[in-house]
Amino acid sequence: METVLCIGCGVNIQTQQKEVIGYTPKSALEKGLETGELYCQRCFRLRHYNDIVDVHISDDAFLKLLHDVGDSDALVVNVIDIFDFNGSVIPGLSRFISGNDVLLVGNKKDILPKSVKDSKVTQWLTQRAHEEGLRPLDTVLVSAQNKFAIRDLIHAIDHHRRGRDVFVVGVTNVGKSTLINAIIQEVTGDKDIITTSRFPGTTLDKIEIPLDDGAHIYDTPGIIHRHQMAHYLSAKDLKYISPKKEIKPKTYQLNPDQTLFLGGLGRFDFISGQKQGFTAYFDNHLDLHRTKLEGAEAFYQKHVGSLLTPPSGKDTENFPKLVRHEFAIKEKTDIVFSGLGWIRVNAPLDSSTIVAAWAPEGVSVLVRKALI
């Protein structure tokens, strides 16, 4: 097909990959060629509905975008998924932004149990950011989906940007574009905070939202994290790893040599230590199954795709094998399955607890100081 460009942002139009830059439905392409007004779906939804659609770009294109941020004098708003901090961190972000100020935004606050205090989550996020080399000016907790604390975020942006441009960055699936849509919805009716004009168009790879003082908010496409669980599941199974409601922790009293299966997506082995309670923090729809460690491998092979789901159906055939990671735990610790959830190990102080976590090959497993 002859190369055709979006008249809104200049990107190459394509009709195959819905979540990649330049996508437009074939019917819209045909109509646009007839009328001469051909927009990619992202620009079309922005122009007609003030709606920003999240899209994916290649790692190289994303790195170029980050270099552009580093060359600017701007406020960087880094959106993080509270439920999946490590899976939503942009590797080396502090290097690329070249000393620009950072405002850290923890999204999906409403997913954590209500008993968890905001102050503790804010402190925890800030500490994790420091470990990644970031020194945020401030940390704001929000829920883009439920529009929780959006006004607080707007005030924080306006306070810290000091007339400068704002770049909003984040990996895919953190809710970045939903957050910007919530900001737009909030500010269009209140000119006393941050005001935006009608969108005159977009620029390649990033969307410009003009502000009344001549600066812009730039929405950038999300980079794909290869080790996220989401990349191994079909669309219908994504609900198991993307909680929309407050998660309900489940505590299991385990003896050594017992195993918890996390659907068919992972496995947790209690190898040795005192009998204790292990608390699981996963989407409420994910079924957990307790069984004996002995024979657990055979149990998985027999039941994955049926009793142990997801994966399910044909996805089971192509699902990666589970890889084992062993840990010796001596304090209250979270065992994190990247993009899925975590299990809190209480680990009595007078003894060591040995556990193993199994996750699909390519998916990260790590330990951290307990969040809750």
Side-chain angles (χ1 to χ4, degrees), residues 43-326:
C43 287
F44 180 86
R45 293 195 63 82
L46 179 61
R47 289 174 62 84
H48 292 278
Y49 304 109
N50 281 4
D51 184 28
I52 292 175
V53 179
D54 197 16
V55 297
H56 305 165
I57 59 175
S58 69
D59 292 359
D60 288 343
F62 189 78
L63 291 178
K64 180 182 181 302
L65 210 54
L66 288 183
H67 280 297
D68 291 344
V69 175
D71 292 337
S72 307
D73 178 19
L75 174 67
V76 177
V77 176
N78 184 196
V79 184
I80 292 289
D81 181 349
I82 295 175
F83 190 67
D84 183 23
F85 177 86
N86 294 90
S88 56
V89 168
I90 299 174
L93 178 61
S94 59
R95 245 184 7 257
F96 292 111
I97 60 177
S98 300
N100 276 335
D101 291 333
V102 176
L103 176 63
L104 190 66
V105 179
N107 191 26
K108 306 183 184 179
K109 160 68 178 71
D110 49 336
I111 299 304
L112 296 179
K114 289 185 175 64
S115 58
V116 184
K117 294 182 178 179
D118 286 359
S119 58
K120 182 173 183 180
V121 178
T122 299
Q123 181 183 28
W124 182 86
L125 278 178
T126 304
Q127 289 174 345
R128 300 289 80 75
H130 286 177
E131 292 170 3
E132 297 294 329
L134 292 174
R135 294 292 185 270
L137 296 174
D138 198 1
T139 300
V140 182
L141 306 183
V142 303
S143 168
Q145 177 180 276
N146 293 325
K147 299 180 175 56
F148 170 81
I150 298 302
R151 185 172 290 255
D152 293 341
L153 174 59
I154 291 169
H155 280 296
I157 291 174
D158 201 30
H159 173 71
H160 291 298
R161 75 183 185 90
R162 302 194 307 276
R164 296 174 294 173
D165 291 334
V166 178
F167 283 86
V168 184
V169 300
V171 305
T172 55
N173 300 321
V174 298
K176 177 176 58 61
S177 292
T178 303
L179 180 62
I180 292 183
N181 287 329
I183 290 175
I184 292 171
Q185 183 176 334
E186 179 71 35
V187 301
T188 49
D190 191 339
K191 297 183 182 299
D192 293 329
I193 310 172
I194 295 177
T195 58
T196 64
S197 65
R198 290 291 299 172
F199 307 105
T202 62
T203 57
L204 187 63
D205 291 346
K206 58 182 181 287
I207 288 178
E208 292 184 354
I209 304 170
L211 302 175
D212 62 347
D213 59 4
H216 294 80
I217 293 179
Y218 292 99
D219 172 49
T220 63
I223 187 175
I224 296 174
H225 259 203
R226 306 298 172 186
H227 61 265
Q228 285 180 308
M229 188 77 73
H231 303 302
Y232 301 97
L233 295 178
S234 62
K236 67 182 178 64
D237 284 338
L238 287 178
K239 65 180 181 181
Y240 293 102
I241 64 169
S242 302
K244 301 296 183 186
K245 297 181 179 179
E246 179 186 352
I247 54 175
K248 305 297 183 184
K250 300 174 183 176
T251 299
Y252 294 83
Q253 295 295 328
L254 298 183
N255 291 308
D257 296 325
Q258 286 191 305
T259 289
L260 276 180
F261 279 104
L262 319 174
L265 301 178
R267 168 180 153 192
F268 176 82
D269 298 340
F270 181 20
I271 298 170
S272 66
Q274 298 179 18
K275 178 180 178 179
Q276 58 185 280
F278 296 87
T279 305
Y281 296 84
F282 299 98
D283 183 86
N284 301 329
H285 294 97
L286 185 67
D287 288 330
L288 306 185
H289 294 272
R290 176 168 39 188
T291 186
K292 293 180 179 179
L293 177 56
E294 183 180 2
E297 179 64 28
F299 184 88
Y300 181 80
Q301 295 301 328
K302 179 179 180 181
H303 294 293
V304 64
S306 53
L307 178 64
L308 302 176
T309 59
S312 57
K314 292 184 178 179
D315 294 337
T316 306
E317 301 171 10
N318 301 318
F319 195 70
K321 67 177 181 179
L322 299 186
V323 176
R324 185 178 185 273
H325 309 262
E326 183 173 309

